[in-house]
Amino acid sequence: ETPPLRLLTVGDGDISFSLSLKRAYPAISVTASTLVESPTELCKLYNNAAENSAEFVQNCWKEQIIYKVDATNLKETIHDDKKYDMILFNHPHLGDSSLLQSESLAAQRHHSLLAHYFHSAQDILSDGQGRIHVCLSGNQPKTWNVMEAATNCGLKCVSQESTSCPISKWLFPSNGDDCQNYHLAEAKSHYKPPRKFRNGKLGSKHFLARYGYRHRRTEGDLFQGDAKEMNVQESVNFVFAVDDEKTTCNLPVEMDVNTTTCNICRMQFDSNEHLRAHLRTPALPDVSYKSCREGNPTTEDRNEKCSSLPTSAPSVSAKPTTVPTTESIDINDATVLVEATVEKKYDSKRLKNICRQADFPLSEYIKSKSQCETAIKNGRVFVNRLVAFDTGRLLRENDIVTLVKEERIQAAGGGSNEQVANASVIKFVQEIASTQTPGLSIVIANKPVGVRCVGSFASSTLEMKAQKHYECSRGVEKLFCRPLTKLDTGCAGLCALAISPEPLEQQADLDSLHICYNFTVLVHGQVPETWKDGIYAKVPTKGVRQWKRQKTEDSGADDHDSSTTLSTTAI
């Protein structure tokens, strides 16, 4: 009799993935594993974990859950000599909010996580047809270089399928229909999770959602950010097998004293000591290195983690990625309003909650959660001298939180500056003076995401920022600004604005102005043949909300002349 297919799931938050696999194919053997230390801690993180665990271990399926399992060190943390036919890891993530400060660093660290997972999984993989699975979403496969991580570990990709496809396409070695021993079971009505986990609202549909699978955040129910559930758009299942022609994965992990490059993930360190610390805990967040360097960890867990690390922080360099680094404000160029040190009672509390506590110094300026979110969005809040991007960031004892004044917009080529929000990302790149009207200029500004182009109702719009900036740079009390480009708030790009000392409604120069916009459009589906030669859109000069049709002066006007239409012509 053929033994059942043996699967090991890694990092299964609420055990729903392991349970749904067992429900779908009862004949397979599924072992679940999690980094969480105990069943009690698991139930604190996920409100449905107790029910899932009971069904998975006791009531129906009699399977096993292994706790305190490190995906980068599986053999040592599982404490078992058992071999598995497939090891599965859904949406690996370090759960380190400090990585939000640099997208390139986050990509580098997650590439390292994948590489060490691939290397570790081979230690407990069965001979022959053993395979390693990972599920990634969005641009993660590219920015995290999953294929490079696998190749460097001696693996080759044997399957790549969307999560909405039947799992039989990649779960079984036959790479097609179900094996004769494994028939898909009926999805019972009580298996179904809430609709948002089944209808694609969170980005991608998953075949196992009908059997109860839910993708959950690393922080589980303890997460206090705005988006309770992660968006996993364009999720893809990757399956890898050992490439017999590759021997890279057999390189020794322990290296000589002169080596400073990790043979597994190719990260470089400034000393062999830092390299060895990395090999002991490849997924340890950088913030723990920092706490060791400063010598003031504030919890027992941090003390335990730091005990095996060197006393100074490692300097890491890796292969450049395609992800640009996040622009940040230099705190040395900002005016500090208030600075405070996090006390012990606020250890592990959220940034947005601490800032508005009555006994915390920043509360003098930040009175509500929305004010805190606005200050962080505008780059005015710093944690440990680095700009903060996440309102839900967990702070630690002795972290330093700084609030600065609204920063200044930098005009290209120098000149005067004005203190306004979003200074680090709004830039005026060109000014074209009118040859007919004195004082009239056409200004080109680089608008970031999150800034509205039009409006005098708030100082945060591009119109008001530009007006204020040029009033200061020209040394005048009043200027008039008219946005000529009405770029959506959610889009970043170059915008044209008219600046004049006189009202701009009757400026003849603007009537004869022609602006050509170049932009990129992401199209889902097949592109029409007529698009090959280009598409040109005639944009109405008067902006109209497309969802609210307005009456025209001439009720018999053609649709082409109506201000509510956007005529397009293929050339």
Side-chain angles (χ1 to χ4, degrees):
E1 183 180 353
T2 304
L5 192 69
R6 293 164 298 183
L7 307 183
L8 172 69
T9 61
V10 177
D12 190 4
D14 60 357
I15 314 300
S16 65
F17 181 62
S18 305
L19 179 59
S20 62
L21 278 172
K22 188 67 180 180
R23 286 170 171 175
Y25 290 99
I28 64 177
S29 172
V30 182
T31 300
S33 70
T34 174
L35 185 62
V36 178
E37 294 189 354
S38 67
T40 303
E41 293 298 322
L42 185 67
C43 295
K44 287 181 179 179
L45 280 175
Y46 305 101
N47 55 18
N48 61 327
E51 182 180 353
N52 289 346
S53 301
E55 179 181 345
F56 187 71
V57 177
Q58 301 171 1
N59 300 343
C60 299
W61 308 115
K62 309 300 182 183
E63 295 289 1
Q64 181 185 13
I65 301 175
I66 308 176
Y67 296 89
K68 296 195 292 186
V69 174
D70 182 356
T72 64
N73 194 9
L74 291 171
K75 186 176 182 179
E76 297 298 327
T77 53
I78 287 181
H79 305 294
D80 194 341
D81 294 332
K82 186 185 297 184
K83 299 289 185 178
Y84 297 91
D85 299 307
M86 179 176 254
I87 302 168
L88 305 98
F89 200 171
N90 261 342
H91 300 287
H93 200 275
L94 291 170
D96 182 6
S97 61
S98 67
L99 294 178
L100 295 172
Q101 297 170 3
S102 171
E103 292 184 19
S104 60
L105 177 59
Q108 171 187 306
R109 289 295 311 282
H110 284 93
H111 172 80
S112 176
L113 171 63
L114 289 175
H116 283 272
Y117 161 63
F118 290 145
H119 184 272
S120 172
Q122 295 180 64
D123 291 336
I124 58 173
L125 203 63
S126 60
D127 297 333
Q129 293 185 325
R131 290 160 301 137
I132 302 172
H133 159 274
V134 67
C135 180
L136 302 175
S137 64
N139 63 353
Q140 290 174 354
K142 180 179 179 181
T143 57
W144 295 1
N145 289 322
V146 62
M147 293 301 181
E148 178 182 307
T151 301
N152 289 341
C153 290
L155 301 175
K156 60 181 178 182
C157 185
V158 296
S159 182
Q160 185 174 330
E161 298 287 348
S162 167
T163 54
S164 61
C165 295
I167 62 173
S168 60
K169 288 190 174 183
W170 54 266
L171 184 63
F172 303 108
S174 56
N175 194 26
D177 298 332
D178 297 351
C179 294
Q180 59 180 358
N181 295 331
Y182 307 107
H183 299 287
L184 185 65
E186 178 185 358
K188 298 180 181 180
S189 58
H190 70 274
Y191 288 170
K192 295 180 180 178
R195 186 174 298 175
K196 63 182 177 181
F197 294 101
R198 295 181 280 120
N199 61 7
K201 182 179 180 180
L202 300 180
S204 294
K205 293 183 179 180
H206 200 288
F207 179 81
L208 288 176
R210 70 195 72 179
Y211 293 92
Y213 171 60
R214 311 181 187 190
H215 173 63
R216 304 294 304 276
R217 283 185 175 272
T218 304
E219 304 93 332
D221 299 324
L222 301 181
F223 178 76
Q224 297 182 10
D226 296 330
K228 291 296 183 183
E229 307 298 342
M230 284 291 295
N231 186 290
V232 286
Q233 190 173 6
E234 300 177 4
S235 294
V236 178
N237 291 304
F238 295 90
V239 179
F240 299 92
V242 176
D243 189 348
D244 295 333
E245 298 179 0
K246 299 288 184 180
T247 58
T248 308
C249 59
N250 296 323
L251 288 173
V253 175
E254 294 296 332
M255 300 163 230
D256 63 70
V257 294
N258 297 321
T259 301
T260 59
T261 301
C262 177
N263 279 337
I264 299 172
C265 64
R266 304 300 194 266
M267 289 178 66
Q268 295 181 352
F269 298 83
D270 60 0
S271 71
N272 182 263
E273 183 184 9
H274 292 149
L275 171 60
R276 292 179 182 277
H278 163 74
L279 291 173
R280 287 193 293 269
T281 52
L284 186 66
D286 286 339
V287 66
S288 294
Y289 285 113
K290 178 178 181 297
S291 65
C292 289
R293 178 176 71 250
E294 295 176 348
N296 58 353
T298 59
T299 67
E300 294 180 1
D301 289 340
R302 293 169 73 191
N303 278 321
E304 181 179 351
K305 288 181 179 180
C306 293
S307 63
S308 62
L309 296 178
T311 55
S312 59
S315 173
V316 180
S317 61
K319 180 179 178 180
T321 67
T322 57
V323 182
T325 57
T326 305
E327 284 192 73
S328 61
I329 304 170
D330 187 352
I331 194 173
N332 296 321
D333 296 333
T335 302
V336 176
L337 292 175
V338 61
E339 191 167 72
T341 301
V342 177
E343 298 178 1
K344 185 176 182 179
K345 64 179 179 180
Y346 291 132
D347 184 66
S348 300
K349 301 297 183 181
R350 304 282 176 181
L351 175 62
K352 62 183 178 183
N353 295 331
I354 295 177
C355 286
R356 51 196 175 92
Q357 296 299 317
D359 60 346
F360 197 70
L362 270 69
S363 63
E364 180 181 351
Y365 300 91
I366 297 178
K367 305 295 184 181
S368 65
K369 183 170 68 174
S370 62
Q371 288 182 353
C372 180
E373 291 174 346
T374 300
I376 292 176
K377 176 183 174 182
N378 292 340
R380 298 178 55 206
V381 179
F382 293 74
V383 177
N384 298 326
R385 315 297 288 180
L386 294 175
V387 66
F389 293 102
D390 183 13
T391 60
R393 176 173 176 175
L394 291 173
L395 297 183
R396 302 295 187 183
E397 182 185 1
N398 295 327
D399 279 349
I400 299 175
V401 184
T402 308
L403 179 68
V404 302
K405 283 187 177 180
E406 291 182 322
E407 284 296 324
R408 299 176 292 177
I409 302 176
Q410 298 291 336
S416 299
N417 302 306
E418 172 59 15
Q419 295 182 347
V420 290
N422 288 335
S424 63
V425 286
I426 297 180
K427 295 182 175 65
F428 296 104
V429 297
Q430 189 175 5
E431 181 178 357
I432 306 171
S434 171
T435 57
Q436 300 180 14
T437 306
L440 174 64
S441 297
I442 303 300
V443 175
I444 309 300
N446 188 2
K447 184 190 84 68
V449 172
V451 175
R452 186 168 180 169
C453 281
V454 184
S456 57
F457 55 86
S459 62
S460 59
T461 65
L462 182 62
E463 177 181 345
M464 296 305 297
K465 291 176 184 294
Q467 176 181 323
K468 193 70 173 177
H469 170 72
Y470 281 96
E471 285 174 351
C472 292
S473 64
R474 296 183 182 183
V476 297
E477 293 185 0
K478 181 64 176 177
L479 285 176
F480 294 90
C481 178
R482 175 181 168 186
L484 306 177
T485 305
K486 298 177 177 63
L487 194 61
D488 188 86
T489 305
C491 298
L494 297 177
C495 299
L497 305 95
I499 301 291
S500 174
E502 302 294 334
L504 289 159
E505 297 299 327
Q506 305 297 328
Q507 293 284 1
D509 287 17
L510 301 182
D511 295 336
S512 60
L513 184 66
H514 295 276
I515 303 176
C516 179
Y517 297 96
N518 293 320
F519 56 93
T520 302
V521 178
L522 177 63
V523 180
H524 294 273
Q526 187 176 2
V527 177
E529 290 292 328
T530 56
W531 285 29
K532 290 184 176 180
D533 297 325
I535 289 293
Y536 296 84
K538 185 177 181 181
V539 183
T541 56
K542 182 180 179 181
V544 176
R545 298 189 178 191
Q546 296 298 311
W547 61 85
K548 185 177 180 181
R549 185 173 296 275
Q550 297 182 353
K551 295 181 180 179
T552 57
E553 294 182 1
D554 184 2
S555 59
D558 294 336
D559 288 342
H560 177 76
D561 297 328
S562 174
S563 62
T564 63
T565 61
L566 182 68
S567 63
T568 58
T569 306
I571 299 179

